[in-house]
DNA sequence: TGCCATACGCACCAAAAGGAGAGTGTAAGA
DNA sequence: TCTTACACTCTCCTTTTGGTGCGTATGGCA
């Protein structure tokens, strides 16, 4: 068990990989990645990219299967990170709409490759899963 | 409250967006995206892309801050989805190594854009967060 | 003789994510 | 007058995520 403790301690040390960038930047980039590499964020990004400015319920309808709670949370975090602009029209009933910022549009473009990958290879992923299942059943 | 029930019911309907692709494909792509858009998956992908074949503990050390449990889980899911090959050398102490498949390398390339985005814009995200914090403190 | 190394699996627990449902405020339409 | 619309917020609850610590097999080294 001492062995494991040692291994774990080593794991929590700084990675010695990717020397060109500083550890501080590394850490920040990882933080940003972790926040942004989220299912709902990707879906909302897509919806806004495709449809331009949308209202709260419209985003929910287009994304599909998201609860109000998660929609609010996701949108707020995206606003906080500067990915969307939230515009409140002080009327009753309330009217709020969301638009991608330049930063958001850039991120959406960056994710484009992942969407394309998924569309291109989902059949292969399915096949790999099937093969894996059969292999472990045996 | 009936209003909310109606809105929620509408939200859970199928999205009418993106007509070019079939709903079945849409759903599969979303599933794949949801699995793959994961912090640890992205980090492990990066590590393997940069260093080629790696052993279990090496992956852990390079990724940094991941527990053995999550590392095992992430690696298994990636194997299941056909992103990595797991090779067991039946010796004692055990020796297992992991290599990206072509599929994995393609995905890594697709994520490259997101990494670049994060590296390019993390300062702007930080600034946006700071501004947001100050705005809501007021 | 006895300890170490590796890549896990398992059990237990805490924290976070996420869903369901109710409540809110008020102007305009039935 | 009663309901509806919208964009939430709040509470309660379940599920998932993730961490910690333990056990394991055994050839080789001290």
């Amino acid at each position: 068990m001492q062995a494991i403790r040692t291994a774990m301690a080593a794991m929590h040390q700084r990675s010695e990989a990717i020397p060109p960038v500083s550890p501080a930047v590394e850490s920040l980039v990882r933080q940003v990645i972790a926040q942004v590499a989220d299912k709902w964020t990707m879906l909302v990004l897509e919806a806004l990219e495709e449809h331009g400015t949308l209202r709260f319920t419209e985003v929910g309808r287009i994304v599909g299967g998201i609860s109000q709670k998660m929609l609010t949370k996701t949108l707020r975090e995206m606003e906080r990170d500067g990915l969307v602009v939230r515009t409140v029209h002080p009327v009753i009933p309330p009217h709020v709409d969301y638009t991608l910022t330049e930063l958001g549009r850039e991120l959406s473009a960056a994710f484009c490759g992942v969407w394309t990958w998924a569309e291109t290879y989902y059949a292969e992923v399915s096949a790999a899963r099937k093969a894996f299942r059969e292999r472990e059943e045996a």
Side-chain angles (χ1 to χ4, degrees), chain A residues 107-128:
Chain A
L107 179 58
S108 171
F111 268 128
C112 190
V114 182
W115 281 100
T116 307
W117 179 91
E119 280 169 17
T120 310
Y121 296 114
Y122 74 89
E124 297 191 31
V125 172
S126 292

Side-chain angles (χ1 to χ4, degrees), chain A residues 3 5-6 12 18 28 38 46 56 71 75 82 85 89 99 104 107 137:
Chain A
R5 232 181 300 269
T6 311
H12 286 273
I18 322 168
L28 273 169
D38 166 72
E46 251 273 300
F56 181 83
L71 186 53
L75 251 8
V85 191
H89 302 100
T99 314
L107 179 58
E137 270 170 14

Side-chain angles (χ1 to χ4, degrees), chain A residues 55-126:
Chain A
R55 302 182 60 170
F56 181 83
T57 43
E58 288 175 330
V59 177
R61 190 161 33 82
I62 291 165
V63 167
I66 186 170
S67 68
Q68 287 189 328
K69 185 179 164 180
M70 286 315 295
L71 186 53
T72 303
K73 196 188 153 206
T74 304
L75 251 8
R76 279 294 140 74
E77 284 175 359
M78 291 175 75
E79 189 199 358
R80 186 198 54 174
D81 291 352
L83 303 176
V84 298
V85 191
R86 179 167 172 266
T87 313
V88 182
H89 302 100
V91 294
I92 283 164
H95 184 131
V96 180
D97 44 39
Y98 297 88
T99 314
L100 286 188
T101 60
E102 185 53 31
L103 201 59
R105 253 170 284 132
E106 292 281 358
L107 179 58
S108 171
F111 268 128
C112 190
V114 182
W115 281 100
T116 307
W117 179 91
E119 280 169 17
T120 310
Y121 296 114
Y122 74 89
E124 297 191 31
V125 172
S126 292

Side-chain angles (χ1 to χ4, degrees), chain A residues 14-15 17-30:
Chain A
R14 292 225 46 67
S15 145
I18 322 168
V21 289
S22 85
V25 170
E26 252 284 290
S27 151
L28 273 169
V29 168
R30 278 174 187 231

